[in-house]
Amino acid sequence: MKQHRKPADYVHMPWKNGNGSTTQIAIYPEHATLDNFDWRISSATINQASDFSTFVGVDRSLAILSGAGLRLGNNLDLTPHSPPYCFTGEQTISADLINGTVVDFNVMTRRQNYGHTLKILHIEGEVFIRTAIHETVILFHAHGETLFINPHHSLDVGETFIMTEHQAADIAVVSHDALLYVIHIQKNL
């Protein structure tokens, strides 16, 4: 299965805790809710200090798409140059703005069923992304020039490409200068 999603396809909704709003980029199963999804990809605009919503049984990864960043708790600054921050949905985490509004990128998997990794790649030229058997790979174009995928698909900034492969494969991604968020989602056996 391959799916190309554009910002017009995304769903805007309030945060689970009601303290803000989020843009749901993708969710599985397709008609799942915040209480019963297996995995979910979203982005939120944060313009005030707030606590993260609680998601029991969920593992999360968080990255900063734009803005100066967030101060998580009292001792961790998450900026656009930081690696993704991984935490459990049960953790109580407060976030303060470092300097103005921030847009984040969030990956969540229900740990009983799925696991995930989030990597941020700066693409200059051609890169191959390896997929595993029965793995879902999600590519989110964060910044830069158009990306070309296995030359038949292109992604502009803010667009997402979702692939579920039934065999291992190498995905060719090409751009002169782009920032790509790569999510690998694996079903737990």
Side-chain angles (χ1 to χ4, degrees):
M1 175 195 88
K2 293 181 172 74
Q3 184 181 36
H4 184 175
R5 297 181 57 82
K6 298 183 178 192
D9 301 320
Y10 304 160
V11 177
H12 303 280
M13 59 185 14
W15 285 351
K16 186 176 177 186
N17 67 13
N19 290 341
S21 63
T22 188
T23 300
Q24 182 172 282
I25 296 168
I27 194 166
Y28 180 82
E30 185 178 348
H31 299 292
T33 67
L34 294 180
D35 295 320
N36 65 5
F37 65 84
D38 282 329
W39 58 259
R40 181 174 184 261
I41 312 299
S42 63
S43 176
T45 299
I46 303 170
N47 53 24
Q48 65 182 2
S50 183
D51 292 336
F52 280 85
S53 300
T54 300
F55 285 91
V56 175
V58 171
D59 290 326
R60 301 179 70 169
S61 294
L62 186 71
I64 303 297
L65 284 171
S66 66
L70 296 173
R71 181 155 295 126
L72 303 177
N74 293 322
N75 59 1
L76 177 68
D77 287 352
L78 186 63
T79 72
H81 306 289
S82 302
Y85 176 65
C86 301
F87 60 103
T88 67
E90 294 87 359
Q91 287 179 260
T92 301
I93 296 183
S94 61
D96 291 311
L97 301 171
I98 291 176
N99 184 18
T101 299
V102 169
V103 178
D104 73 12
F105 186 83
N106 185 34
V107 179
M108 296 191 283
T109 50
R110 192 152 318 272
R111 81 176 63 91
Q112 178 181 352
N113 302 326
Y114 288 87
H116 75 269
T117 60
L118 168 60
K119 293 183 181 177
I120 301 170
L121 301 179
H122 185 203
I123 309 293
E124 291 180 310
E126 185 173 41
V127 172
F128 289 92
I129 298 169
R130 186 92 173 132
T131 66
I133 296 172
H134 302 296
E135 176 180 62
T136 297
V137 176
I138 302 167
L139 306 177
F140 178 80
H141 187 332
H143 298 287
E145 297 181 17
T146 299
L147 281 160
F148 297 94
I149 304 164
N150 286 347
H152 306 294
H153 301 282
S154 64
L155 278 185
D156 289 320
V157 172
E159 295 181 350
T160 306
F161 195 68
I162 303 170
M163 298 160 285
T164 300
E165 299 293 340
H166 298 292
Q167 59 187 1
D170 285 323
I171 303 163
V173 178
V174 179
S175 180
H176 292 291
D177 186 14
L179 194 63
L180 180 66
Y181 286 30
V182 180
I183 303 112
H184 291 262
I185 298 176
Q186 309 85 21
K187 185 163 180 55
N188 295 336
L189 301 176

